[in-house]
């Protein structure tokens, strides 16, 4: 069985999948193959009715970082807020201190362990953001470490430059100078050296104003990089409207998204990336406007937001469960959110995210009897095999 649109989950029963090299060449009912499978292919792998989905796409992570923030979490459990900790120089900045002190090797190694955990849950593509370096050298170190994660963990990695994640301490009295650095030095260098596929920012009271954020989005666009934005996570700053103005691939978080923000995203086809694990871990009570997004036909993606501050979660399947239990999404919507819509959030909608001839052969093969199980079990071991660019974890390259 494979998944496609129309029937629930787009399921095709008694299906066959053809792969040549790294591409899907056939996806459809077994009976519509021109001849028997053995006559069509050099190697036939019989899955005995197993469910096959597109490889999962985790389209929003901060996978590269050093240290952890368990101590701050302990303080939050005693009543301190995320914002209070951030304003006191902790939060993102404590991870910046640890990440600056770590070598590229150490960063690549620890991120690869987290990516491997995700791969064991069917992930084939992971987006990884920088944003804990906050100077050119350390941001580049993070992006180079992110590239190494792909080889180590056998996943496709997309990299996003997030220099505008927090104001580094050395610029605390000159915000404009830091934005100048991001726009005039970091973005041009990162674009020239092809160290990132997109640029992100954090538009929020504890990070950057809409005016500051706009400078970053404009500089990214001027250098030919698509943009994404952390928007409306803790308050309504108008980030989603700003993101849409720059034809952003996605606006992410969105708990405080306004009706005007929904409409702006609908106009530009900007994907709403919801991060239910961060909502859960911050004990947020305001939910993103899922029904309004549905009504406006804004595609909804789901991601882990794996990071040490707001979502120490390296489990995409738990994120699917939380999307259903906390945001009232259906298991089918959640799965589409971590496949088809997540691919669009990365600008890769024509390459991955669905099972269609011509796309990259990225599949997850599951030990389940109902696809709702992917969002249902918490902590179960459901994956049977993964194929990425035509290469199976268990069988090696498919012919
Ligand atoms: O997606 N919102 C900003 N960035 C991260 C948190 C990063 C951190 O706290 O270290 C997020 O929640
Ligand atoms: Fe994030």
């Amino acid at each position: 069985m494979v998944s496609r649109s129309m029937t629930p989950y787009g399921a095709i029963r008694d299906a066959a999948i053809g792969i040549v090299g790294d591409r899907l060449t056939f996806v459809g009912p077994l009976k519509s193959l021109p001849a028997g499978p053995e006559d069509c292919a050099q190697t036939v792998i019989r899955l005995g009715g197993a469910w096959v989905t597109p490889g999962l796409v985790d389209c929003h992570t901060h996978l590269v970082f050093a240290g952890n923030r368990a101590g701050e979490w302990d303080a939050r459990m005693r009543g301190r807020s995320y914002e209070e900790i951030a304003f006191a120089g902790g939060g993102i900045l404590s991870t910046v201190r640890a990440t600056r002190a770590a070598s590229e090797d150490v960063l690549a190694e620890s991120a690869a362990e987290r990516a491997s955990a995700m791969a064991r849950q069917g992930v084939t593509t992971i987006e990884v953001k920088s944003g804990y370096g906050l100077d050119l050298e350390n941001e580049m170190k993070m992006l180079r470490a992110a590239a190494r994660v792909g080889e180590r963990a056998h996943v496709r990695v997309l990299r996003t430059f997030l220099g505008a994640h927090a104001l580094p301490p050395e610029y605390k009295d000159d915000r404009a100078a830091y934005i100048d650095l991001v726009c005039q030095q970091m973005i041009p260098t990162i674009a020239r050296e092809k160290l990132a596929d997109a640029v992100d920012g954090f538009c929020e009271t504890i990070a950057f104003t809409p005016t500051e954020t706009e400078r970053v989005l404009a500089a990214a666009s001027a250098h030919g990089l698509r943009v994404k934005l952390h928007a409306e996570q803790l308050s309504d700053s108008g980030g989603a409207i700003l993101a849409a103005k720059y034809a952003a691939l996605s606006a992410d978080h969105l708990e405080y998204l306004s009706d005007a923000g929904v409409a702006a995203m609908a106009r530009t086809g900007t994907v709403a990336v919801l991060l239910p694990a961060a909502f859960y871990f911050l004990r947020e009570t305001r939910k993103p406007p899922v029904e309004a997004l549905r009504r406006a036909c804004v595609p909804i993606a789901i991601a882990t937001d794996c990071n040490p501050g707001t979502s120490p979660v390296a489990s995409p399947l738990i994120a699917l469960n939380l999307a259903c239990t906390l945001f009232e999404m259906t298991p089918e919507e959640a799965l589409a959110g971590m496949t088809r819509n997540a691919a669009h959030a990365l600008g890769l909608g024509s390459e991955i995210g669905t099972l269609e001839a011509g796309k990259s052969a990225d599949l997850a093969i599951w030990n389940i009897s109902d696809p709702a199980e992917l969002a249902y079990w918490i902590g179960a071991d459901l994956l049977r095999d993964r194929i990425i660019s035509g290469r199976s974890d268990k069988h090696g390259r498919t012919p």
Side-chain angles (χ1 to χ4, degrees):
M1 297 169 206
V2 298
S3 61
R4 240 202 216 160
S5 56
M6 257 116 77
T7 53
Y9 294 93
I12 307 171
R13 291 185 182 267
D14 301 318
I17 297 172
I19 298 173
V20 175
D22 65 351
R23 295 285 120 184
L24 292 168
T25 54
F26 178 89
V27 181
L30 184 61
K31 62 178 184 324
S32 62
L33 277 176
E38 274 76 11
D39 300 315
C40 294
Q42 282 170 14
T43 307
V44 175
I45 302 172
R46 290 188 181 277
L47 298 175
W51 279 92
V52 178
T53 66
L56 301 185
V57 178
D58 192 344
C59 68
H60 180 141
T61 85
H62 307 251
L63 211 64
V64 172
F65 60 84
N68 69 66
R69 306 236 289 275
E72 287 183 5
W73 179 68
D74 188 314
R76 283 207 291 115
M77 294 307 100
R78 294 164 200 274
R80 289 194 82 195
S81 75
Y82 182 68
E83 285 97 325
E84 258 171 11
I85 292 169
F87 280 126
I92 293 171
L93 291 184
S94 55
T95 301
V96 170
R97 287 187 285 276
T99 303
R100 284 179 172 180
S103 69
E104 184 183 315
D105 285 352
V106 165
L107 292 174
E109 183 70 28
S110 60
E113 278 171 25
R114 293 185 274 273
S116 297
M118 292 181 171
R120 287 193 293 276
Q121 295 202 339
V123 167
T124 48
T125 298
I126 305 181
E127 183 258 16
V128 180
K129 300 177 195 297
S130 65
Y132 294 124
L134 307 187
D135 60 33
L136 183 57
E137 183 197 342
N138 284 294
E139 287 291 302
M140 287 172 68
K141 176 178 75 177
M142 288 188 71
L143 292 166
R144 282 194 301 264
R148 289 165 59 184
V149 168
E151 298 144 33
R152 293 288 315 277
H154 193 211
V155 288
R156 178 183 293 100
V157 169
L158 274 275
R159 295 178 292 176
T160 302
F161 169 62
L162 179 54
H165 195 195
L167 190 68
E170 56 276 20
Y171 284 90
K172 74 176 181 354
D173 299 320
D174 196 351
R175 301 178 63 86
Y178 184 63
I179 298 294
D180 286 347
L181 180 72
V182 169
C183 296
Q184 291 161 16
Q185 282 190 34
M186 294 190 189
I187 289 176
T189 307
I190 281 158
R192 192 175 57 245
E193 301 204 7
K194 299 198 181 338
L195 283 168
D197 308 287
V199 171
D200 195 346
F202 189 15
C203 186
E204 190 52 71
T205 46
I206 61 169
F208 296 100
T209 64
T211 308
E212 291 164 339
T213 304
E214 178 154 16
R215 289 191 55 203
V216 174
L217 301 190
S221 304
H223 284 85
L225 289 165
R226 296 294 302 270
V227 301
K228 306 169 78 67
L229 193 63
H230 285 70
E232 275 72 272
Q233 180 184 14
L234 308 169
S235 61
D236 179 10
S237 314
I241 294 172
L242 185 58
K245 180 171 168 193
Y246 287 85
L249 289 167
S250 70
D252 303 37
H253 288 285
L254 304 177
E255 280 84 345
Y256 291 81
L257 181 63
S258 65
D259 290 345
V262 173
M265 290 175 69
R267 276 195 296 277
T268 49
T270 297
V271 177
V273 178
L274 305 186
L275 304 165
F279 170 94
Y280 161 76
F281 198 73
L282 287 176
R283 290 179 166 160
E284 180 58 68
T285 51
R286 167 90 168 237
K287 296 185 186 192
V290 170
E291 188 49 36
L293 290 166
R294 275 191 197 111
R295 263 190 273 112
C297 298
V298 175
I300 300 176
I302 301 297
T304 61
D305 195 17
C306 180
N307 78 74
T310 65
S311 185
V313 173
S315 167
L317 299 181
I318 286 179
L320 293 185
N321 176 278
L322 295 174
C324 299
T325 54
L326 301 177
F327 293 168
E328 286 105 37
M329 292 178 68
T330 67
E332 184 178 356
E333 287 175 320
L335 184 56
M338 208 175 266
T339 50
R340 184 182 61 225
N341 295 344
H344 284 293
L346 298 178
L348 289 180
S350 58
E351 177 68 8
I352 57 171
T354 58
L355 298 181
E356 288 174 84
K359 286 194 173 182
S360 181
D362 288 15
L363 326 172
I365 303 164
W366 304 97
N367 291 318
I368 55 174
S369 56
D370 179 332
E373 286 181 74
L374 296 177
Y376 162 81
W377 295 105
I378 297 180
D381 186 9
L382 304 178
L383 189 73
R384 186 197 292 194
D385 194 9
R386 230 175 31 124
I387 297 176
I388 168 165
S389 298
R391 196 176 176 80
S392 149
D393 288 343
K394 292 230 170 96
H395 301 273
R397 180 151 294 285
T398 49

